[in-house]
Amino acid sequence: MENTEKLKNSKEVIAYIAECFPKCFTLEGEAKPLKIGIFQDLADRLTDDPKVSKTQIRAALRQYTSSWRYLHGVKSGAVRVDLDGNPAGELEEEHVEHAKTALAESKAKVQARRKEQAQKAREESKAKAKPVAKKPQNRRPQQNKVNEVSPPAETRALTVEEITIGNQVNVNMGKGNMAATIVEINKEDVRVQLPNGLQMVVKAEHLRA
């Protein structure tokens, strides 16, 4: 049984018309200018064809005659053809000029679209390549808490009785005080141990309560 399923789009319709009328339509190379009124001829010849409708034929013709192949073929000295490839009149100059204008406008649109796409691609590529700047975090630089010097506070000098081994004291570092433990006493020199285990010798006058 012959397949009578309707064609789906203009591309398929053009291919089918070219198959039915190869002397008039072509799918490759420069197309021949068509006879004025070719739509009606096609509609009449394909009126009983279940594969295509008049609406499909009209849309396919519009696409075929706006293609660059067809517009290139519409030039001075060219002859129009009917469905059977017979001559159907020479092209008028106004039709040739119209085809030139349409071709130039079509090419300009394609060129502009390609340029826009290329620019967009470059911008996307540039955006991907550009490292994302990290937002600076408001962090205070980490300090060794063990050796952290506390801001100067109201302190007093130790009495002789308070300078004893094992006593918790503060060592005056000039700009602040640092907690320490007395581990050895040698007259005015006192060895203290910091919370991190580091030991140092300081003068007794630098110890504060």
Side-chain angles (χ1 to χ4, degrees), residues 182-193:
I182 298 175
V183 296
E184 184 181 349
I185 302 171
N186 185 13
K187 296 183 180 180
E188 291 298 315
D189 294 329
V190 180
R191 182 181 295 275
V192 297
Q193 181 173 311

Side-chain angles (χ1 to χ4, degrees), residues 166-171 178-182 192-195 200 207:
N167 195 13
Q168 301 288 329
V169 296
N170 289 308
V171 180
M178 186 163 54
T181 302
I182 298 175
V192 297
Q193 181 173 311
L194 305 179
M200 59 189 296
L207 300 179

Side-chain angles (χ1 to χ4, degrees), residues 143 147-153 155 170-171 173-179:
Q143 297 177 338
N147 295 331
E148 186 174 5
V149 177
S150 60
T155 59
N170 289 308
V171 180
M173 303 299 293
K175 294 183 179 180
N177 300 318
M178 186 163 54

Side-chain angles (χ1 to χ4, degrees), residues 32-43:
K32 299 175 183 178
L34 301 177
K35 169 192 172 183
I36 294 177
I38 197 82
F39 166 73
Q40 192 57 51
D41 293 346
L42 274 171

Side-chain angles (χ1 to χ4, degrees), residues 20-140:
C20 295
F21 310 102
K23 293 182 179 181
C24 180
F25 294 91
T26 177
L27 300 179
E28 297 179 353
E30 192 172 272
K32 299 175 183 178
L34 301 177
K35 169 192 172 183
I36 294 177
I38 197 82
F39 166 73
Q40 192 57 51
D41 293 346
L42 274 171
D44 291 342
R45 297 277 282 270
L46 299 175
T47 187
D48 296 325
D49 195 317
K51 288 188 175 183
V52 292
S53 65
K54 285 186 177 182
T55 302
Q56 287 177 306
I57 293 173
R58 191 186 300 278
L61 269 179
R62 188 180 299 113
Q63 180 173 318
Y64 185 83
T65 55
S66 63
S67 69
W68 290 6
R69 289 191 315 109
Y70 184 83
L71 294 175
H72 271 295
V74 181
K75 54 190 177 184
S76 298
V79 177
R80 294 182 182 275
V81 295
D82 63 12
L83 293 177
D84 300 314
N86 299 317
E90 289 190 8
L91 287 167
E92 296 182 12
E93 193 60 32
E94 62 178 307
H95 295 158
V96 174
E97 290 302 319
H98 176 76
K100 286 182 181 179
T101 302
L103 181 60
E105 290 177 351
S106 179
K107 288 185 175 182
K109 287 181 181 179
V110 171
Q111 186 175 3
R113 186 162 59 248
R114 287 177 179 172
K115 186 176 180 180
E116 182 181 348
Q117 291 173 347
Q119 177 66 22
K120 185 178 180 181
R122 284 194 297 270
E123 290 176 355
E124 290 178 352
S125 178
K126 187 176 180 181
K128 289 180 181 178
K130 186 177 181 181
V132 178
K134 292 185 178 179
K135 187 176 180 179
Q137 296 180 348
N138 187 19
R139 287 185 178 179
R140 294 178 60 187

